[in-house]
Amino acid sequence: MRGLPQVKTRRVTAGVASVLALSLGAAACGGGGDDNDGGGSGKKDAALNSIVNASSKKGGTVSYEHSDVPDSLDPGNTYYGWVQNFSRLYGRTLTTFKPAAGKDGLTVVPDLAESLGKSSPDAKTWTYKLRAGVKFQDGKPVTSKDVKYAVERSNFAPEALSNGPTYFKSYLEGGDKYKGPYKDKSADGIKSIETPDDRTIVFKLKQPFADFDYLATFSQTAPVPQAKDDGAKYVQHIVSSGPYQFQSYEEGRGATLVRNPQWDPKTDPNRKALPDKVTIKFKVNQVTIDNDLLSDKITGDAAGTGVAPQTQPKVLAGKNAGQTDSSYAGATQYIALNLKVAPFDNIHCRKAVQWGLDKQSVLDAMGGTPKGDVATTLLPPSVNGYTKFDTYATEGNKGNAAKAKAELKECGKPNGFKTILTARSDRPAEVAQATAVQASLKKIGINVEIKQFPAGKYFSNFAGVPSYVHANKLGMLSMAWGADWPTGYGFLDQVVNGAAIKPSGGNNLMELDDPKINKALTDAIANTDDAARTKAWGEIDKMVLDNASVVPVVYRKNLLLRPKSATNVTVTQAYLGMYDYLLMGSSK
């Protein structure tokens, strides 16, 4: 998940629960208190495993700011983790992650559905029954057909909606043939999603998929009334099924959400919906956001990636240090080396970067230990299937110039080469990372030019568009990725599977399409043996590193800052270690 997500009993649960419990326990060592203790507003790391400033008071306005724009606030056209988190305010999905502190926040619970999915013995058929009485903001009942249509438009219409993942397209029977609702005008739609009555929806898969309840948490299952859909323009008049609806939306500027009078709390055990209003403003400089948090002018930074490197020393050394939470993001910051852009079509040129990069200097430039730990694998330690290894180990993570130069000679570039590295312009830590990479690689003769792009269009217009990447010779692409759900498949599939390469909006920025890796992913998710599947994820991670197209840099942490007026504040590991926006309130 761009930024990224326990759980039910069944084949995947035990391993995930143990790994995440350990990681959360480690993350929570810095402080906290008992859950819902209502205190801790001045305690560092208090929100890692408790709810800070717990309140049941209704009213007030929650205000967010963001340094850029979203890929889209349309639940069917987004992949950013913060939008997945934020969209739960106005879109209910079949299942969701429980709004709760600590490891309880990783529990998948029913949302629009009455219960978790009922699976066939072979995990190829999944059935959900919707709760009775759920309505859209216009008073019309939400039906299973509205959920089916939401999946169809979000997965099968790349000409209009290209930003989100395509798991449903990949796994539904006939998914490779269905043309999507804007081209296929038949009343039936895709036949492998059945709606035998208004409250029942059945998904028929072409192969076993043991993680389906995780997939059902995606905003793509938030219902959309077909009569109100107009493709990419739907974002301007989203029809709410949650406790809030849009009062206003201005492209590129922001939005205001107010109460949805048709929302019935009796049908929704997950949302308290305490604030009267939620506002969000886009294109605010990150340092300005940090200062607004420090002065208690806003409730939260919507991006959820933490304060800027230049703000960090002031925050940690000042009176506001007790209002910070150093949260593990369950995400890896890495550099994608595009296999279609010379000289990275040569594995030895890719290995030259692997050996030559001083990762410690990169972490230091990003803000040091509060921003994370040096990464040696693509999978972060909090994801089920993580295996500790270091294919390109160097002393102190400082790089090895001799080995790098030997690889340069092997790739026919003994004197080095020129390339371009992308970074998102509104993310100071990523720009700092790029600058450090540039300085590090220059020492071995690789001259890196940095080109910056806006985060909101980074995947749809630039780094995620192969034709643009090739035409502009973007050989190195900055990337941060968190698990769509906390298993190896939930992390790896959309970034290393050849099937994830798209004309735009893609996340496989390396354009890695290795038949052995693709097959290993498919075989593993179909394996009903928990231990074998878990082992497979680590083996696939090693295959990716052997290919050398991914350069892991940092296992991400976020130095989050909560103002004193924020209530019900807790970190959710389900959404990349940001605060849970479904719970957050304000005393203002």
PDB file of all heavy atoms in Angstrom, residues 339-373:
ATOM      1  N   LEU A 339      14.046  -2.070 -15.115  1.00  0.00           N
ATOM      2  CA  LEU A 339      14.727  -3.049 -15.964  1.00  0.00           C
ATOM      3  C   LEU A 339      14.665  -2.704 -17.445  1.00  0.00           C
ATOM      4  O   LEU A 339      15.383  -3.302 -18.257  1.00  0.00           O
ATOM      5  CB  LEU A 339      14.103  -4.430 -15.743  1.00  0.00           C
ATOM      6  CG  LEU A 339      14.224  -4.970 -14.316  1.00  0.00           C
ATOM      7  CD1 LEU A 339      13.382  -6.231 -14.155  1.00  0.00           C
ATOM      8  CD2 LEU A 339      15.666  -5.254 -13.952  1.00  0.00           C
ATOM      9  N   LYS A 340      13.826  -1.718 -17.815  1.00  0.00           N
ATOM     10  CA  LYS A 340      13.689  -1.347 -19.221  1.00  0.00           C
ATOM     11  C   LYS A 340      14.470  -0.067 -19.554  1.00  0.00           C
ATOM     12  O   LYS A 340      14.418   0.416 -20.686  1.00  0.00           O
ATOM     13  CB  LYS A 340      12.206  -1.141 -19.557  1.00  0.00           C
ATOM     14  CG  LYS A 340      11.323  -2.358 -19.286  1.00  0.00           C
ATOM     15  CD  LYS A 340      11.649  -3.500 -20.232  1.00  0.00           C
ATOM     16  CE  LYS A 340      10.764  -4.721 -19.970  1.00  0.00           C
ATOM     17  NZ  LYS A 340       9.354  -4.486 -20.259  1.00  0.00           N
ATOM     18  N   VAL A 341      15.158   0.486 -18.559  1.00  0.00           N
ATOM     19  CA  VAL A 341      15.915   1.719 -18.766  1.00  0.00           C
ATOM     20  C   VAL A 341      17.401   1.415 -18.610  1.00  0.00           C
ATOM     21  O   VAL A 341      17.845   1.001 -17.540  1.00  0.00           O
ATOM     22  CB  VAL A 341      15.489   2.824 -17.775  1.00  0.00           C
ATOM     23  CG1 VAL A 341      16.361   4.066 -17.942  1.00  0.00           C
ATOM     24  CG2 VAL A 341      14.017   3.183 -17.971  1.00  0.00           C
ATOM     25  N   ALA A 342      18.161   1.625 -19.664  1.00  0.00           N
ATOM     26  CA  ALA A 342      19.602   1.373 -19.626  1.00  0.00           C
ATOM     27  C   ALA A 342      20.269   2.326 -18.617  1.00  0.00           C
ATOM     28  O   ALA A 342      19.833   3.472 -18.461  1.00  0.00           O
ATOM     29  CB  ALA A 342      20.196   1.572 -21.013  1.00  0.00           C
ATOM     30  N   PRO A 343      21.297   1.882 -17.925  1.00  0.00           N
ATOM     31  CA  PRO A 343      21.957   0.584 -18.058  1.00  0.00           C
ATOM     32  C   PRO A 343      21.416  -0.490 -17.113  1.00  0.00           C
ATOM     33  O   PRO A 343      22.045  -1.526 -16.927  1.00  0.00           O
ATOM     34  CB  PRO A 343      23.402   0.921 -17.701  1.00  0.00           C
ATOM     35  CG  PRO A 343      23.259   1.927 -16.590  1.00  0.00           C
ATOM     36  CD  PRO A 343      22.050   2.758 -16.979  1.00  0.00           C
ATOM     37  N   PHE A 344      20.232  -0.245 -16.518  1.00  0.00           N
ATOM     38  CA  PHE A 344      19.726  -1.185 -15.516  1.00  0.00           C
ATOM     39  C   PHE A 344      19.076  -2.415 -16.136  1.00  0.00           C
ATOM     40  O   PHE A 344      18.547  -3.275 -15.419  1.00  0.00           O
ATOM     41  CB  PHE A 344      18.772  -0.473 -14.552  1.00  0.00           C
ATOM     42  CG  PHE A 344      19.465   0.603 -13.754  1.00  0.00           C
ATOM     43  CD1 PHE A 344      19.063   1.928 -13.829  1.00  0.00           C
ATOM     44  CD2 PHE A 344      20.549   0.284 -12.954  1.00  0.00           C
ATOM     45  CE1 PHE A 344      19.713   2.914 -13.114  1.00  0.00           C
ATOM     46  CE2 PHE A 344      21.213   1.264 -12.227  1.00  0.00           C
ATOM     47  CZ  PHE A 344      20.795   2.587 -12.312  1.00  0.00           C
ATOM     48  N   ASP A 345      19.137  -2.507 -17.465  1.00  0.00           N
ATOM     49  CA  ASP A 345      18.777  -3.765 -18.120  1.00  0.00           C
ATOM     50  C   ASP A 345      19.906  -4.779 -17.978  1.00  0.00           C
ATOM     51  O   ASP A 345      19.750  -5.948 -18.344  1.00  0.00           O
ATOM     52  CB  ASP A 345      18.447  -3.534 -19.593  1.00  0.00           C
ATOM     53  CG  ASP A 345      19.534  -2.762 -20.327  1.00  0.00           C
ATOM     54  OD1 ASP A 345      20.439  -2.200 -19.671  1.00  0.00           O
ATOM     55  OD2 ASP A 345      19.476  -2.711 -21.574  1.00  0.00           O
ATOM     56  N   ASN A 346      21.021  -4.354 -17.412  1.00  0.00           N
ATOM     57  CA  ASN A 346      22.184  -5.206 -17.136  1.00  0.00           C
ATOM     58  C   ASN A 346      22.271  -5.430 -15.628  1.00  0.00           C
ATOM     59  O   ASN A 346      22.389  -4.477 -14.853  1.00  0.00           O
ATOM     60  CB  ASN A 346      23.456  -4.535 -17.655  1.00  0.00           C
ATOM     61  CG  ASN A 346      24.678  -5.432 -17.545  1.00  0.00           C
ATOM     62  OD1 ASN A 346      24.964  -5.980 -16.481  1.00  0.00           O
ATOM     63  ND2 ASN A 346      25.420  -5.559 -18.636  1.00  0.00           N
ATOM     64  N   ILE A 347      22.221  -6.687 -15.200  1.00  0.00           N
ATOM     65  CA  ILE A 347      22.203  -6.996 -13.767  1.00  0.00           C
ATOM     66  C   ILE A 347      23.444  -6.504 -13.042  1.00  0.00           C
ATOM     67  O   ILE A 347      23.394  -6.114 -11.869  1.00  0.00           O
ATOM     68  CB  ILE A 347      21.994  -8.511 -13.522  1.00  0.00           C
ATOM     69  CG1 ILE A 347      21.717  -8.784 -12.030  1.00  0.00           C
ATOM     70  CG2 ILE A 347      23.189  -9.325 -14.029  1.00  0.00           C
ATOM     71  CD1 ILE A 347      21.291 -10.209 -11.730  1.00  0.00           C
ATOM     72  N   HIS A 348      24.565  -6.457 -13.725  1.00  0.00           N
ATOM     73  CA  HIS A 348      25.794  -6.015 -13.057  1.00  0.00           C
ATOM     74  C   HIS A 348      25.757  -4.518 -12.758  1.00  0.00           C
ATOM     75  O   HIS A 348      26.289  -4.079 -11.739  1.00  0.00           O
ATOM     76  CB  HIS A 348      27.015  -6.382 -13.901  1.00  0.00           C
ATOM     77  CG  HIS A 348      27.215  -7.861 -14.035  1.00  0.00           C
ATOM     78  ND1 HIS A 348      27.637  -8.639 -12.991  1.00  0.00           N
ATOM     79  CD2 HIS A 348      27.022  -8.692 -15.089  1.00  0.00           C
ATOM     80  CE1 HIS A 348      27.714  -9.908 -13.385  1.00  0.00           C
ATOM     81  NE2 HIS A 348      27.344  -9.967 -14.656  1.00  0.00           N
ATOM     82  N   CYS A 349      25.112  -3.742 -13.616  1.00  0.00           N
ATOM     83  CA  CYS A 349      24.931  -2.321 -13.307  1.00  0.00           C
ATOM     84  C   CYS A 349      24.013  -2.145 -12.108  1.00  0.00           C
ATOM     85  O   CYS A 349      24.200  -1.234 -11.284  1.00  0.00           O
ATOM     86  CB  CYS A 349      24.387  -1.575 -14.525  1.00  0.00           C
ATOM     87  SG  CYS A 349      25.598  -1.301 -15.843  1.00  0.00           S
ATOM     88  N   ARG A 350      23.017  -3.005 -11.995  1.00  0.00           N
ATOM     89  CA  ARG A 350      22.129  -2.954 -10.831  1.00  0.00           C
ATOM     90  C   ARG A 350      22.886  -3.335  -9.565  1.00  0.00           C
ATOM     91  O   ARG A 350      22.732  -2.709  -8.512  1.00  0.00           O
ATOM     92  CB  ARG A 350      20.922  -3.887 -11.031  1.00  0.00           C
ATOM     93  CG  ARG A 350      20.104  -3.573 -12.278  1.00  0.00           C
ATOM     94  CD  ARG A 350      18.735  -4.219 -12.258  1.00  0.00           C
ATOM     95  NE  ARG A 350      18.720  -5.676 -12.249  1.00  0.00           N
ATOM     96  CZ  ARG A 350      18.707  -6.446 -13.323  1.00  0.00           C
ATOM     97  NH1 ARG A 350      18.755  -5.890 -14.538  1.00  0.00           N
ATOM     98  NH2 ARG A 350      18.649  -7.780 -13.223  1.00  0.00           N
ATOM     99  N   LYS A 351      23.725  -4.355  -9.682  1.00  0.00           N
ATOM    100  CA  LYS A 351      24.497  -4.777  -8.504  1.00  0.00           C
ATOM    101  C   LYS A 351      25.530  -3.733  -8.091  1.00  0.00           C
ATOM    102  O   LYS A 351      25.881  -3.638  -6.909  1.00  0.00           O
ATOM    103  CB  LYS A 351      25.176  -6.115  -8.784  1.00  0.00           C
ATOM    104  CG  LYS A 351      24.208  -7.300  -8.789  1.00  0.00           C
ATOM    105  CD  LYS A 351      24.926  -8.630  -8.929  1.00  0.00           C
ATOM    106  CE  LYS A 351      23.954  -9.800  -8.809  1.00  0.00           C
ATOM    107  NZ  LYS A 351      24.641 -11.115  -8.905  1.00  0.00           N
ATOM    108  N   ALA A 352      25.991  -2.933  -9.041  1.00  0.00           N
ATOM    109  CA  ALA A 352      26.928  -1.855  -8.693  1.00  0.00           C
ATOM    110  C   ALA A 352      26.264  -0.874  -7.723  1.00  0.00           C
ATOM    111  O   ALA A 352      26.892  -0.397  -6.764  1.00  0.00           O
ATOM    112  CB  ALA A 352      27.384  -1.143  -9.955  1.00  0.00           C
ATOM    113  N   VAL A 353      24.984  -0.585  -7.974  1.00  0.00           N
ATOM    114  CA  VAL A 353      24.247   0.300  -7.064  1.00  0.00           C
ATOM    115  C   VAL A 353      24.060  -0.373  -5.712  1.00  0.00           C
ATOM    116  O   VAL A 353      24.228   0.255  -4.658  1.00  0.00           O
ATOM    117  CB  VAL A 353      22.883   0.683  -7.680  1.00  0.00           C
ATOM    118  CG1 VAL A 353      22.049   1.479  -6.668  1.00  0.00           C
ATOM    119  CG2 VAL A 353      23.079   1.490  -8.956  1.00  0.00           C
ATOM    120  N   GLN A 354      23.723  -1.669  -5.732  1.00  0.00           N
ATOM    121  CA  GLN A 354      23.517  -2.407  -4.482  1.00  0.00           C
ATOM    122  C   GLN A 354      24.759  -2.336  -3.591  1.00  0.00           C
ATOM    123  O   GLN A 354      24.670  -2.068  -2.388  1.00  0.00           O
ATOM    124  CB  GLN A 354      23.188  -3.875  -4.786  1.00  0.00           C
ATOM    125  CG  GLN A 354      21.915  -4.111  -5.595  1.00  0.00           C
ATOM    126  CD  GLN A 354      20.646  -4.095  -4.763  1.00  0.00           C
ATOM    127  OE1 GLN A 354      20.676  -3.864  -3.555  1.00  0.00           O
ATOM    128  NE2 GLN A 354      19.518  -4.329  -5.415  1.00  0.00           N
ATOM    129  N   TRP A 355      25.915  -2.585  -4.183  1.00  0.00           N
ATOM    130  CA  TRP A 355      27.152  -2.612  -3.403  1.00  0.00           C
ATOM    131  C   TRP A 355      27.652  -1.195  -3.083  1.00  0.00           C
ATOM    132  O   TRP A 355      28.259  -0.978  -2.032  1.00  0.00           O
ATOM    133  CB  TRP A 355      28.258  -3.363  -4.161  1.00  0.00           C
ATOM    134  CG  TRP A 355      28.084  -4.845  -4.192  1.00  0.00           C
ATOM    135  CD1 TRP A 355      27.838  -5.612  -5.293  1.00  0.00           C
ATOM    136  CD2 TRP A 355      28.147  -5.736  -3.080  1.00  0.00           C
ATOM    137  NE1 TRP A 355      27.739  -6.938  -4.940  1.00  0.00           N
ATOM    138  CE2 TRP A 355      27.940  -7.054  -3.576  1.00  0.00           C
ATOM    139  CE3 TRP A 355      28.362  -5.579  -1.713  1.00  0.00           C
ATOM    140  CZ2 TRP A 355      27.930  -8.170  -2.760  1.00  0.00           C
ATOM    141  CZ3 TRP A 355      28.356  -6.698  -0.887  1.00  0.00           C
ATOM    142  CH2 TRP A 355      28.137  -7.970  -1.416  1.00  0.00           C
ATOM    143  N   GLY A 356      27.377  -0.253  -3.957  1.00  0.00           N
ATOM    144  CA  GLY A 356      27.958   1.079  -3.793  1.00  0.00           C
ATOM    145  C   GLY A 356      27.217   1.997  -2.844  1.00  0.00           C
ATOM    146  O   GLY A 356      27.782   2.984  -2.370  1.00  0.00           O
ATOM    147  N   LEU A 357      25.944   1.701  -2.547  1.00  0.00           N
ATOM    148  CA  LEU A 357      25.143   2.636  -1.765  1.00  0.00           C
ATOM    149  C   LEU A 357      25.495   2.610  -0.279  1.00  0.00           C
ATOM    150  O   LEU A 357      25.508   1.555   0.357  1.00  0.00           O
ATOM    151  CB  LEU A 357      23.655   2.305  -1.936  1.00  0.00           C
ATOM    152  CG  LEU A 357      22.682   3.295  -1.277  1.00  0.00           C
ATOM    153  CD1 LEU A 357      22.847   4.687  -1.850  1.00  0.00           C
ATOM    154  CD2 LEU A 357      21.246   2.813  -1.440  1.00  0.00           C
ATOM    155  N   ASP A 358      25.759   3.783   0.266  1.00  0.00           N
ATOM    156  CA  ASP A 358      25.985   3.966   1.699  1.00  0.00           C
ATOM    157  C   ASP A 358      24.616   4.185   2.350  1.00  0.00           C
ATOM    158  O   ASP A 358      24.122   5.306   2.433  1.00  0.00           O
ATOM    159  CB  ASP A 358      26.901   5.169   1.924  1.00  0.00           C
ATOM    160  CG  ASP A 358      27.211   5.430   3.402  1.00  0.00           C
ATOM    161  OD1 ASP A 358      26.511   4.867   4.272  1.00  0.00           O
ATOM    162  OD2 ASP A 358      28.133   6.215   3.684  1.00  0.00           O
ATOM    163  N   LYS A 359      24.009   3.103   2.805  1.00  0.00           N
ATOM    164  CA  LYS A 359      22.651   3.191   3.341  1.00  0.00           C
ATOM    165  C   LYS A 359      22.597   3.959   4.663  1.00  0.00           C
ATOM    166  O   LYS A 359      21.596   4.620   4.958  1.00  0.00           O
ATOM    167  CB  LYS A 359      22.065   1.788   3.519  1.00  0.00           C
ATOM    168  CG  LYS A 359      21.842   1.038   2.218  1.00  0.00           C
ATOM    169  CD  LYS A 359      21.197  -0.322   2.479  1.00  0.00           C
ATOM    170  CE  LYS A 359      20.990  -1.094   1.188  1.00  0.00           C
ATOM    171  NZ  LYS A 359      20.340  -2.409   1.417  1.00  0.00           N
ATOM    172  N   GLN A 360      23.665   3.861   5.442  1.00  0.00           N
ATOM    173  CA  GLN A 360      23.662   4.577   6.718  1.00  0.00           C
ATOM    174  C   GLN A 360      23.597   6.084   6.490  1.00  0.00           C
ATOM    175  O   GLN A 360      22.889   6.801   7.208  1.00  0.00           O
ATOM    176  CB  GLN A 360      24.908   4.215   7.535  1.00  0.00           C
ATOM    177  CG  GLN A 360      24.904   4.791   8.950  1.00  0.00           C
ATOM    178  CD  GLN A 360      23.709   4.321   9.775  1.00  0.00           C
ATOM    179  OE1 GLN A 360      23.426   3.130   9.863  1.00  0.00           O
ATOM    180  NE2 GLN A 360      22.974   5.259  10.370  1.00  0.00           N
ATOM    181  N   SER A 361      24.293   6.563   5.484  1.00  0.00           N
ATOM    182  CA  SER A 361      24.257   8.004   5.194  1.00  0.00           C
ATOM    183  C   SER A 361      22.862   8.425   4.731  1.00  0.00           C
ATOM    184  O   SER A 361      22.427   9.548   5.012  1.00  0.00           O
ATOM    185  CB  SER A 361      25.296   8.365   4.133  1.00  0.00           C
ATOM    186  OG  SER A 361      24.925   7.880   2.846  1.00  0.00           O
ATOM    187  N   VAL A 362      22.182   7.523   4.040  1.00  0.00           N
ATOM    188  CA  VAL A 362      20.827   7.824   3.586  1.00  0.00           C
ATOM    189  C   VAL A 362      19.878   7.926   4.777  1.00  0.00           C
ATOM    190  O   VAL A 362      19.077   8.862   4.881  1.00  0.00           O
ATOM    191  CB  VAL A 362      20.329   6.764   2.587  1.00  0.00           C
ATOM    192  CG1 VAL A 362      18.884   7.040   2.196  1.00  0.00           C
ATOM    193  CG2 VAL A 362      21.218   6.736   1.343  1.00  0.00           C
ATOM    194  N   LEU A 363      19.965   6.966   5.694  1.00  0.00           N
ATOM    195  CA  LEU A 363      19.122   7.012   6.890  1.00  0.00           C
ATOM    196  C   LEU A 363      19.403   8.272   7.696  1.00  0.00           C
ATOM    197  O   LEU A 363      18.476   8.939   8.174  1.00  0.00           O
ATOM    198  CB  LEU A 363      19.365   5.769   7.750  1.00  0.00           C
ATOM    199  CG  LEU A 363      18.637   5.727   9.101  1.00  0.00           C
ATOM    200  CD1 LEU A 363      17.128   5.830   8.922  1.00  0.00           C
ATOM    201  CD2 LEU A 363      18.986   4.455   9.873  1.00  0.00           C
ATOM    202  N   ASP A 364      20.679   8.620   7.845  1.00  0.00           N
ATOM    203  CA  ASP A 364      21.044   9.825   8.596  1.00  0.00           C
ATOM    204  C   ASP A 364      20.423  11.065   7.955  1.00  0.00           C
ATOM    205  O   ASP A 364      19.917  11.955   8.653  1.00  0.00           O
ATOM    206  CB  ASP A 364      22.560   9.971   8.664  1.00  0.00           C
ATOM    207  CG  ASP A 364      23.218   8.900   9.524  1.00  0.00           C
ATOM    208  OD1 ASP A 364      22.503   8.258  10.321  1.00  0.00           O
ATOM    209  OD2 ASP A 364      24.440   8.686   9.371  1.00  0.00           O
ATOM    210  N   ALA A 365      20.439  11.127   6.627  1.00  0.00           N
ATOM    211  CA  ALA A 365      19.879  12.282   5.920  1.00  0.00           C
ATOM    212  C   ALA A 365      18.370  12.376   6.099  1.00  0.00           C
ATOM    213  O   ALA A 365      17.796  13.468   6.121  1.00  0.00           O
ATOM    214  CB  ALA A 365      20.217  12.198   4.437  1.00  0.00           C
ATOM    215  N   MET A 366      17.723  11.218   6.243  1.00  0.00           N
ATOM    216  CA  MET A 366      16.263  11.187   6.403  1.00  0.00           C
ATOM    217  C   MET A 366      15.830  11.560   7.819  1.00  0.00           C
ATOM    218  O   MET A 366      14.647  11.817   8.056  1.00  0.00           O
ATOM    219  CB  MET A 366      15.732   9.797   6.064  1.00  0.00           C
ATOM    220  CG  MET A 366      15.856   9.429   4.595  1.00  0.00           C
ATOM    221  SD  MET A 366      15.398   7.699   4.288  1.00  0.00           S
ATOM    222  CE  MET A 366      13.644   7.716   4.685  1.00  0.00           C
ATOM    223  N   GLY A 367      16.780  11.569   8.753  1.00  0.00           N
ATOM    224  CA  GLY A 367      16.436  11.917  10.127  1.00  0.00           C
ATOM    225  C   GLY A 367      16.933  10.933  11.154  1.00  0.00           C
ATOM    226  O   GLY A 367      16.625  11.054  12.336  1.00  0.00           O
ATOM    227  N   GLY A 368      17.689   9.927  10.718  1.00  0.00           N
ATOM    228  CA  GLY A 368      18.289   8.993  11.654  1.00  0.00           C
ATOM    229  C   GLY A 368      17.316   7.990  12.242  1.00  0.00           C
ATOM    230  O   GLY A 368      16.249   7.708  11.678  1.00  0.00           O
ATOM    231  N   THR A 369      17.657   7.474  13.408  1.00  0.00           N
ATOM    232  CA  THR A 369      16.920   6.392  14.034  1.00  0.00           C
ATOM    233  C   THR A 369      15.417   6.653  14.193  1.00  0.00           C
ATOM    234  O   THR A 369      14.617   5.724  14.011  1.00  0.00           O
ATOM    235  CB  THR A 369      17.540   6.061  15.409  1.00  0.00           C
ATOM    236  OG1 THR A 369      18.914   5.699  15.207  1.00  0.00           O
ATOM    237  CG2 THR A 369      16.824   4.904  16.071  1.00  0.00           C
ATOM    238  N   PRO A 370      14.990   7.890  14.515  1.00  0.00           N
ATOM    239  CA  PRO A 370      13.538   8.103  14.615  1.00  0.00           C
ATOM    240  C   PRO A 370      12.788   7.830  13.314  1.00  0.00           C
ATOM    241  O   PRO A 370      11.582   7.623  13.328  1.00  0.00           O
ATOM    242  CB  PRO A 370      13.426   9.588  15.001  1.00  0.00           C
ATOM    243  CG  PRO A 370      14.713   9.886  15.703  1.00  0.00           C
ATOM    244  CD  PRO A 370      15.746   9.077  14.966  1.00  0.00           C
ATOM    245  N   LYS A 371      13.505   7.829  12.183  1.00  0.00           N
ATOM    246  CA  LYS A 371      12.859   7.581  10.894  1.00  0.00           C
ATOM    247  C   LYS A 371      12.910   6.117  10.474  1.00  0.00           C
ATOM    248  O   LYS A 371      12.304   5.737   9.475  1.00  0.00           O
ATOM    249  CB  LYS A 371      13.495   8.446   9.807  1.00  0.00           C
ATOM    250  CG  LYS A 371      13.040   9.895   9.834  1.00  0.00           C
ATOM    251  CD  LYS A 371      11.565  10.005   9.488  1.00  0.00           C
ATOM    252  CE  LYS A 371      11.099  11.441   9.425  1.00  0.00           C
ATOM    253  NZ  LYS A 371       9.662  11.552   9.125  1.00  0.00           N
ATOM    254  N   GLY A 372      13.669   5.275  11.213  1.00  0.00           N
ATOM    255  CA  GLY A 372      13.666   3.858  10.876  1.00  0.00           C
ATOM    256  C   GLY A 372      15.002   3.186  11.065  1.00  0.00           C
ATOM    257  O   GLY A 372      15.908   3.715  11.715  1.00  0.00           O
ATOM    258  N   ASP A 373      15.143   2.004  10.476  1.00  0.00           N
ATOM    259  CA  ASP A 373      16.355   1.201  10.541  1.00  0.00           C
ATOM    260  C   ASP A 373      16.799   0.862   9.122  1.00  0.00           C
ATOM    261  O   ASP A 373      15.977   0.740   8.210  1.00  0.00           O
ATOM    262  CB  ASP A 373      16.093  -0.109  11.302  1.00  0.00           C
ATOM    263  CG  ASP A 373      15.528   0.118  12.689  1.00  0.00           C
ATOM    264  OD1 ASP A 373      16.050   1.006  13.397  1.00  0.00           O
ATOM    265  OD2 ASP A 373      14.553  -0.561  13.063  1.00  0.00           O
TER     266      ASP A 373
END
